[in-house]
Amino acid sequence: MKLSQLISSAIATTVLFSSTVFADVDPIVIKGTKFFYKTNGTEFYIKGVAYQEDYAGNGTSGSSKYTDPLADADKCRRDVPLLAELQTNTIRVYAIDPSKDHDECMNLLQDAGIYVISDLSQPDSSINREDPAWDVDLWSRYAAVIDSLAKYNNVIGFFAGNEVSNAANNTAASPFVKAAVRDMKTYIKQRKYRPMGVGYATSDDDKIRDDIASYFDCGSDDERIDFYGYNVYSWCGKSSFQESGYKDRTDFFQDYTVPVFFAEYGCNQPQPRRFDEVQALYGKQMTPVWSGGIVYMYFQEANDYGLVKVDGDTASKLPDFTALSSQLAKITPSSIKASAFKPTNTKAPACPTGGSWNASADLPPSPNEELCECAVKSFSCVAKADLDDKAIARLFASVCDLDQAACDGIGRDGSRGDYGSLSMCRPIDKLSWAFNTYYENQKKSSSACDFRGNAEIQNAATPSGNCGDLLRQVGARGTGQVTTLPSATGNPQGASGASGSRGSSSASSSPTNQARALLVPGFDVGSVQLGAYMVCAMLTGAGMILL
């Protein structure tokens, strides 16, 4: 089933059921820097557990295989009582399958008073720090997750990225994540869903942690995060508020404008874990700033962070479960009613520049399937539809080396904030742009549209109506700013899942993509950054493809 069908199915189900079946639990809303129950206005502190088996998605590409933790009702019936015993009120899930039925698990969680924060990515479909992109296939994946979960009132929100930029040498990936935040916030509003937050979960790298926090909180309201998750493992064994660095982090976030919480915590050295940090996190020194946290993690796996060991249908409590339960039973965090809370942190910080931070405040364009399809139809010279990803990689290397200007419209550079108008299209559509631009720059010489039989002439359609307007905004060089966006109705933004306008899968979401199997940084061809496609082509000795 194509992803577009999954989206359409999820939308239809949402329309049918959202107002009736799943409306019992009180939704969580955001006011300033705090979470509240919508109806009674009580402050909400996250007492969370990470809940996902066999998952390692963190800003790199990976296997397409993962276990959807919300789609197996038997496992949920096994685990939800144990989560409730821990006094859990939130779980974090890292990847769900939008095509699957989540009703029974979500109802079990709802009945236990447990809310959900879901990441939008999956292991092989995420923003890759080594070769970042924000494209139509990622947009479709992220929108599909929102569509599949929007009908449940016990969904707090979504993470558009997890530790994507995790060092000073990959901060240029952050504009792509922030573009995803912007577009998913817009999508939620366009679909007229109830308010759900879109945030980011960061690592604790001491060289970029202040800058990245400011980066996701700076700029206009439509592109800023709604909440900020902090993955922190600095409190190990017998530590303290000061020694662990919690005091420094609390001081830094005192002026933050949105809720902040620990998206992961629980250092596992030494063992068994003591979880003394729970008293600090929910104590008077931290609750004015922090909204709780999510312990990593429920399942015992090779990394040895589990609270529970699962063997078939049986889940056995481990010593860490008992320790965490004991600590959570002692907390009494102070709270304030929503009606009495007057946000004072309302001014967004300036976007960071210089030093270890190398990410532009200018964001990539919003993925626009209509524009990509319209552009390809207007071309006289296009890439053949049966090209595989490895061939596309080689052909990018050839055409962009022959004519750098032919690739201006598809380049992307998060450090400089330079993005071609079609940089968000699928690889085969971007290759067609480069072929067609080269062909036109060569005065439409018949030999300029061949590339050893990998390009072909087609009857170009004359752009008209909205298509014409879009292409005028793109401009001849492909670097114009496109301000016209399709509406999120029916098939959102023409999402078509894995198949491109001319038959190729996306470089950022194909589980069999050979070009992305080599995780290497993007590089510049003149002033154009094209990323892993061309690097892989050169590493594999593709060389020049003769016309």
Side-chain angles (χ1 to χ4, degrees):
M1 182 180 289
K2 291 184 178 181
L3 194 51
S4 58
Q5 293 173 298
L6 307 183
I7 293 175
S8 298
S9 175
I11 292 172
T13 306
T14 298
V15 171
L16 180 62
F17 292 110
S18 61
S19 62
T20 55
V21 179
F22 306 104
D24 293 335
V25 71
D26 196 5
I28 303 302
V29 296
I30 296 170
K31 182 179 180 182
T33 57
K34 294 184 179 294
F35 294 109
F36 295 95
Y37 289 97
K38 180 180 179 181
T39 302
N40 63 28
T42 302
E43 186 173 356
F44 180 84
Y45 287 100
I46 293 172
K47 294 185 290 182
V49 173
Y51 183 71
Q52 184 118 19
E53 296 179 86
D54 301 321
Y55 185 79
N58 62 345
T60 61
S61 65
S63 169
S64 62
K65 296 180 181 179
Y66 62 94
T67 301
D68 183 338
L70 303 180
D72 190 321
D74 290 335
K75 290 181 179 179
C76 289
R77 281 190 289 269
R78 178 195 67 199
D79 295 335
V80 168
L82 289 173
L83 290 167
E85 185 180 333
L86 274 174
Q87 303 182 51
T88 303
N89 66 10
T90 305
I91 61 170
R92 177 183 178 184
V93 296
Y94 293 83
I96 66 135
D97 184 344
S99 69
K100 292 186 176 180
D101 184 355
H102 303 108
D103 288 356
E104 190 161 357
C105 282
M106 292 301 290
N107 269 320
L108 287 166
L109 290 165
Q110 174 181 286
D111 291 344
I114 297 174
Y115 293 80
V116 174
I117 298 175
S118 176
D119 288 46
L120 293 172
S121 62
Q122 66 183 45
D124 68 334
S125 187
S126 63
I127 297 170
N128 185 336
R129 70 172 69 97
E130 305 292 350
D131 182 28
W134 174 234
D135 60 26
V136 291
D137 283 332
L138 284 177
W139 189 101
S140 297
R141 157 69 195 183
Y142 287 21
V145 173
I146 291 173
D147 288 333
S148 68
L149 295 180
K151 63 180 176 178
Y152 306 111
N153 277 356
N154 57 330
V155 172
I156 295 174
F158 309 93
F159 283 126
N162 180 67
E163 300 187 1
V164 179
S165 293
N166 65 353
N169 64 356
N170 56 38
T171 61
S174 285
F176 299 89
V177 182
K178 196 167 180 179
V181 171
R182 173 199 65 202
D183 292 343
M184 293 302 100
K185 289 177 64 168
T186 298
Y187 182 69
I188 289 170
K189 292 177 182 177
Q190 286 179 327
R191 293 298 306 157
K192 294 182 170 54
Y193 291 139
R194 66 174 178 82
M196 294 176 288
V198 181
Y200 178 72
T202 186
S203 64
D204 187 32
D205 183 87
D206 59 358
K207 292 182 174 59
I208 67 168
R209 60 190 179 193
D210 290 354
D211 284 338
I212 197 169
S214 297
Y215 183 79
F216 280 99
D217 195 29
C218 74
S220 61
D221 288 345
D222 63 343
E223 64 187 34
R224 294 166 56 224
I225 51 168
D226 296 313
F227 52 73
Y228 194 67
Y230 194 52
N231 300 341
V232 56
Y233 295 88
S234 60
W235 187 307
C236 297
K238 293 182 179 180
S239 190
S240 67
F241 180 57
Q242 289 81 13
E243 183 182 349
S244 64
Y246 280 21
K247 181 181 185 303
D248 292 339
R249 297 291 81 213
T250 301
D251 289 345
F252 174 82
F253 283 107
Q254 280 184 349
D255 297 324
Y256 216 59
T257 69
V258 299
V260 291
F261 57 92
F262 287 0
E264 292 176 4
Y265 76 96
C267 173
N268 67 348
Q269 295 297 326
Q271 292 184 325
R273 291 186 280 184
R274 299 165 53 95
F275 288 111
D276 292 339
E277 67 265 43
V278 168
Q279 301 309 312
L281 180 58
Y282 297 94
K284 62 182 181 179
Q285 292 175 303
M286 295 186 70
T287 52
V289 174
W290 301 90
S291 293
I294 299 170
V295 170
Y296 189 86
M297 64 106 56
Y298 183 81
F299 297 98
Q300 174 71 340
E301 295 178 343
N303 59 13
D304 213 18
Y305 278 91
L307 303 173
V308 166
K309 182 178 181 179
V310 172
D311 183 7
D313 297 332
T314 303
S316 304
K317 304 174 192 174
L318 295 174
D320 284 2
F321 183 102
T322 304
L324 178 62
S325 178
S326 175
Q327 292 286 2
L328 288 171
K330 294 185 288 186
I331 64 172
T332 55
S334 59
S335 62
I336 187 173
K337 282 284 191 177
S339 57
F341 178 60
K342 308 298 181 187
T344 56
N345 299 350
T346 57
K347 183 179 180 181
C351 291
T353 58
S356 298
W357 192 252
N358 191 31
S360 174
D362 295 325
L363 306 183
S366 297
N368 189 327
E369 179 81 8
E370 182 181 358
L371 169 57
C372 298
E373 292 182 353
C374 147
V376 172
K377 290 176 182 177
S378 75
F379 298 158
S380 297
C381 177
V382 295
K384 286 190 174 179
D386 60 354
L387 293 175
D388 62 24
D389 294 318
K390 194 171 184 178
I392 291 173
R394 293 195 305 268
L395 291 162
F396 268 132
S398 178
V399 66
C400 295
D401 189 57
L402 285 169
D403 185 354
Q404 294 179 12
C407 295
D408 287 350
I410 57 175
R412 58 184 192 270
D413 188 332
S415 62
R416 292 194 291 255
D418 293 335
Y419 315 99
S421 304
L422 275 71
S423 61
M424 48 73 200
C425 295
R426 295 185 179 88
I428 193 140
D429 296 341
K430 291 188 284 189
L431 183 60
S432 290
W433 165 274
F435 278 178
N436 189 69
T437 305
Y438 178 79
Y439 177 64
E440 292 184 345
N441 289 348
Q442 297 299 312
K443 311 297 183 185
K444 296 190 175 181
S445 167
S446 59
S447 62
C449 186
D450 183 51
F451 289 88
R452 287 190 172 178
N454 292 300
E456 61 186 358
I457 299 293
Q458 71 171 10
N459 292 324
T462 301
S464 62
N466 194 51
C467 176
D469 291 340
L470 288 168
L471 291 183
R472 279 189 288 274
Q473 293 173 52
V474 167
R477 293 183 59 242
T479 55
Q481 183 176 4
V482 178
T483 58
T484 303
L485 296 178
S487 61
T489 57
N491 185 13
Q493 292 206 20
S496 58
S499 60
S501 301
R502 296 184 54 79
S504 174
S505 61
S506 165
S508 59
S509 63
S510 170
T512 59
N513 186 323
Q514 299 178 51
R516 283 185 61 119
L518 293 172
L519 292 180
V520 289
F523 80 111
D524 291 336
V525 181
S527 60
V528 181
Q529 185 183 54
L530 293 170
Y533 263 105
M534 290 192 60
V535 177
C536 291
M538 292 188 175
L539 289 178
T540 55
M544 181 71 70
I545 297 178
L546 299 177
L547 293 175

